[in-house]
């Protein structure tokens, strides 16, 4: 409450200092009450003027002119001045302070104005006959009753008017002559009526205030609900719902002027490992810290919203060309890469950003968001921790991807899909010990489509599980014809192992295939573990119980490798080809690979080196003690028939070696060296 309120005549005890919310609530209450009173003020003064001059005219012949003309004229000037002030200020903008001041003025004017009118009427009481005295009593009653009703929203002024009116009637009672009992009774009746009216107005005022309080509470609740519906509770940024509303508004506002603005979709790289390693509490604090940094750097140039998880959206309203936009977003990424001190930990993350410009690249909010999101997706696949601006090439890729997705949906997978096999070589014996199954798709509509293209599209369109099951059935059928010591390595998508239904179908397919599960190894990409490690762990354990091997593929390229090594029941890891490329000339790559090989040895799991493409790389990894390798140097992926040929050639070479070895033992003069031909 404010320090002074016109609704409190006395204060007996000191109160605590009001809060901002209480001040706002009190101010709103004052505004409502004053507006209700202000609408009735002209009516009150008009009734006063009319009743005063009617009473004056009724006493023109019986009372002196100074009572019937001059005093009413003076009272009229008071009323007209108040009406003029009302007319002048009726459209003035109101503030709680201004309203409080005017209501205090009304309270101060209530007593002298009421006394002036009542005193003038009492002075007329001794002039005229009984009928004119009835008129005076009626004038006082009706005028005071009207004023009381008009002042009902200002309780102090209403009380003042009622008290003065009742005192006036008491004076009339004592000044009444003998034989005028009827005037006396009417006066007493009016006093009772006015007192009852005051009591009724008290209850009305109480209910009116309660209604205002209910309205204030409803408004407060509405604001809270609006905040809940439009603000993210963790970061206090606008949420996804508010973002799309603002984006639609920006597009609508800028459509007529064709003004440019940009939309950026930002995704944090490395947030999931922080959440897993330090807990969700640290992750929440990290998101809050990221939000504050984004707000600071965007300032007046852009608005930021949290889309959910570790994804944010930035509407860049500042007028920038493409180069300036790229620089601005690069600066955002640089700011977010600075370390965060959270719970005694120094946390490091980075960010990838996808950009799209309105109206250059999109004509509506939906397309603008989709294009920025595609730019982000494309950037994370190709240049992680970078800024990607949507371009005409991306638009072509979207059309291509849409065509491929539709072709996949219409495809007869069992007929159009095939499996190629790439051998995994034991370097000590230079023999094939396993084949990795690789997908191939010859579309009836599009022709041959690279797996690097259609697999990500199938994952995004949730079609990958059907492809996985179709390919696994074909791969198991081929593996059944291989020698018992040759294993099958088969890749599982993150979508496959995140659904128990698909895992159960894979297990059933294994049981019905006739292939010993111990000959099958399922490869899980390292980034798949980022989706749901608990589900990945359950899937791996189910497959391990059947006897299958579990391989962590592309090891070293993700963020949570070492935790996965600890959590998952792995039997093998595959070191990504990016570490093998030019390993013979890159000391850093050699150190990394040597460390990973030592780690796998200590954990008693096997290690496969991918991407061996030349003799120098092979010689280098052999000198480091590598046991298993794979790559184009040994063989490119081959169809089913050629896999049998490779195995048959290997068997023939073994027979030939045995024969040569026998001759060597007898003659002691033959020196033979063997090299596996890819």
């Amino acid at each position: 409450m404010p320090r002074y309120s016109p609704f409190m005549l006395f204060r007996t005890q000191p109160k605590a200092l009001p809060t901002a919310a209480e001040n706002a609530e009190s101010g709103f209450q004052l505004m409502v009450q004053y507006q209700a009173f202000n609408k009735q003020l002209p009516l009150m003064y008009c009734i006063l003027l009319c009743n005063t001059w009617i009473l004056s005219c009724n006493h023109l012949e019986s009372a002196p002119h100074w009572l019937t003309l001059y005093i009413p004229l003076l009272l009229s000037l008071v009323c007209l001045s108040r009406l003029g002030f009302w007319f002048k200020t009726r459209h003035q903008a109101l503030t709680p302070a201004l309203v409080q001041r005017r209501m205090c003025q009304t309270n101060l004017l209530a007593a002298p104005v009421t006394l002036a009118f009542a005193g003038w009427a009492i002075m007329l009481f001794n002039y005229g006959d009984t009928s004119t005295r009835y008129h005076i009593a009626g004038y006082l009653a009706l005028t005071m009753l009207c004023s009381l009703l008009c002042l009902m929203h200002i309780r102090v002024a209403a009380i003042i008017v009622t008290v003065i009116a009742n005192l006036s009637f008491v004076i009339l009672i004592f000044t009444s002559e003998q034989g005028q009992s009827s005037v006396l009774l009417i006066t007493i009746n009016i006093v009772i009526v006015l007192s009852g009216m005051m009591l009724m107005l008290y209850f009305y005022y109480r209910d009116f205030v309660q209604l205002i309080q209910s309205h204030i509470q409803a408004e407060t609740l509405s604001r809270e609900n609006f905040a809940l519906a439009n603000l993210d509770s963790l970061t206090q940024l606008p949420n996804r719902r508010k973002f799309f509303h603002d984006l639609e508004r920006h597009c609508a506002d800028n459509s007529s002027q064709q003004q440019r603005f940009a939309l950026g979709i930002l995704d944090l790289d490395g947030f999931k490992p922080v959440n897993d390693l330090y807990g969700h509490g640290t992750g929440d604090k990290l998101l809050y810290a990221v939000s504050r940094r984004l707000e600071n750097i965007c300032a007046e140039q852009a608005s930021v919203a949290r889309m959910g998880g570790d994804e944010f959206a930035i509407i860049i309203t500042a007028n920038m060309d493409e180069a300036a936009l790229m620089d601005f977003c690069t600066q955002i990424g640089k700011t977010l890469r600075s370390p965060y001190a959270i719970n005694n930990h120094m946390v490091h993350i980075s960010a990838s950003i996808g950009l799209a410009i309105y109206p250059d690249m999109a004509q509506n909010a939906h397309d603008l968001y989709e294009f920025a999101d595609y730019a982000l997706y494309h950037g994370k696949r190709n240049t992680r921790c970078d800024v990607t601006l949507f371009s005409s090439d991306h638009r072509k890729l979207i059309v291509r991807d849409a065509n491929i997705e539709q072709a996949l949906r219409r495809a007869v997978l069992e007929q159009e899909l095939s499996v190629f096999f790439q051998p995994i070589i034991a370097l000590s014996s230079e023999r094939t010990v396993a084949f990795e199954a690789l997908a191939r798709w010859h579309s009836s509509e599009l022709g041959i489509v690279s797996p690097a293209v259609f697999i990500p599209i199938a994952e995004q369109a949730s079609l990958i599980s059907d492809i996985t099951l179709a390919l696994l059935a074909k791969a198991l059928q081929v593996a059944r014809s291989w020698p018992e010591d040759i294993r099958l390595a088969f890749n599982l998508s993150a979508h496959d192992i995140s659904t128990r239904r698909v895992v159960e179908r894979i297990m059933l397919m294994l049981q019905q295939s006739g292939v010993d599960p111990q000959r099958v190894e399922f490869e899980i990409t390292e980034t798949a573990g980022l989706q749901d490690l608990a589900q990945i762990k359950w899937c791996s354990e189910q497959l391990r119980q059947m006897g299958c091997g579990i391989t962590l593929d592309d090891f070293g390229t993700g963020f949570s490798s070492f935790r996965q090594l600890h959590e998952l029941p792995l039997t093998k890891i595959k070191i990504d080809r990016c570490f093998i490329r030019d390993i013979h000339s890159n000391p850093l790559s050699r150190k990394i690979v040597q460390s990973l090989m030592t780690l796998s040895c200590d954990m008693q799991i096997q290690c496969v080196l991918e991407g061996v493409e030349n003799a120098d790389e092979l010689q280098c990894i052999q000198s480091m003690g590598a046991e298993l390798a794979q790559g184009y140097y040994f063989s490119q992926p081959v169809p089913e028939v050629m896999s049998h040929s490779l195995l048959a050639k290997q068997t023939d070479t073994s027979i030939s070696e045995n024969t040569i070895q026998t001759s060597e033992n007898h003659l002691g003069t033959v020196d033979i060296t063997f090299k596996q031909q890819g």
Side-chain angles (χ1 to χ4, degrees), residues 100-320:
Q100 184 176 356
R101 186 166 65 251
R102 289 186 181 176
M103 292 177 74
C104 290
Q105 292 172 355
T106 301
N107 291 333
L108 294 174
L109 288 172
V113 172
T114 306
L115 284 172
F117 280 94
W120 172 71
I122 292 172
M123 284 190 292
L124 287 174
F125 194 74
N126 291 324
Y127 298 93
D129 54 14
T130 302
S131 63
T132 56
R133 290 176 178 175
Y134 283 139
H135 189 180
I136 291 172
Y139 167 80
L140 284 172
L142 293 175
T143 303
M144 296 304 172
L145 182 60
C146 172
S147 300
L148 185 62
L149 291 173
C150 291
L151 293 168
M152 68 174 69
H153 299 101
I154 304 181
R155 187 169 60 178
V156 175
I159 292 173
I160 292 172
V161 170
T162 304
V163 170
I164 294 175
N166 286 335
L167 288 175
S168 301
F169 285 113
V170 170
I171 293 173
L172 290 180
I173 290 172
F174 283 105
T175 57
S176 297
E177 300 175 359
Q178 296 294 329
Q180 292 181 330
S181 59
S182 58
V183 175
L184 175 64
L185 292 175
I186 290 173
T187 304
I188 294 173
N189 188 26
I190 291 173
V191 171
I192 294 173
V193 170
L194 286 176
S195 300
M197 284 295 298
M198 187 64 215
L199 186 62
M200 291 172 59
L201 290 178
Y202 167 77
F203 291 120
Y204 169 82
Y205 175 82
R206 184 190 62 184
D207 295 340
F208 179 74
V209 171
Q210 290 178 350
L211 181 63
I212 294 176
Q213 296 293 336
S214 299
H215 179 77
I216 292 173
Q217 293 174 0
E219 287 288 334
T220 302
L221 184 61
S222 176
R223 287 193 297 270
E224 291 175 353
N225 289 336
F226 180 83
L228 289 174
N230 292 277
L231 288 181
D232 176 63
S233 59
L234 174 61
T235 63
Q236 296 304 303
L237 291 175
N239 61 12
R240 187 181 185 90
R241 178 179 181 274
K242 182 66 164 57
F243 160 75
F244 280 112
H245 177 270
D246 291 346
L247 185 62
E248 292 278 1
R249 179 173 54 82
H250 274 86
C251 290
D253 292 344
N254 294 323
S255 60
S256 56
Q257 294 88 4
Q258 290 292 300
Q259 293 182 349
R260 300 169 80 247
F261 73 92
L263 171 63
I265 306 297
L266 182 149
D267 186 77
L268 300 180
D269 299 318
F271 173 76
K272 182 70 164 57
V274 172
N275 234 6
D276 294 340
L277 185 60
Y278 300 117
H280 290 282
T282 299
D284 289 345
K285 291 181 180 179
L286 176 59
L287 287 174
Y288 183 83
V290 167
S291 302
R292 301 290 75 79
R293 289 191 186 184
L294 287 173
E295 279 189 321
N296 290 336
I297 193 172
C298 290
E300 298 179 356
Q301 294 180 301
S303 59
V304 186
R306 184 188 177 202
M307 303 300 289
D310 59 347
E311 186 173 281
F312 297 83
I314 306 172
I315 300 177
I316 305 170
T317 54
N319 188 14
M320 301 182 186

Side-chain angles (χ1 to χ4, degrees), residues 561-620:
S561 310
F562 295 105
R563 186 181 181 198
Q564 293 177 18
L565 284 177
H566 174 70
E567 294 283 348
L568 301 179
L570 300 175
T571 56
K572 192 177 294 182
I573 63 171
K574 273 190 171 183
I575 299 177
D576 190 72
R577 63 174 60 90
C578 67
F579 298 110
I580 308 303
R581 187 180 303 115
D582 299 326
I583 189 173
H584 57 285
S585 59
N586 190 333
L588 179 60
S589 293
R590 284 200 299 272
K591 290 180 181 179
I592 293 174
V593 172
Q594 187 67 67
S595 299
L596 296 178
M597 290 172 57
T598 302
L599 177 64
S600 67
C601 181
D602 292 341
M603 297 185 66
Q604 297 182 343
I605 58 178
Q606 291 183 303
C607 180
V608 180
L609 279 66
E610 294 184 288
V612 179
E613 297 187 354
N614 56 60
D616 292 333
E617 293 172 353
L618 174 62
Q619 184 178 1
C620 182

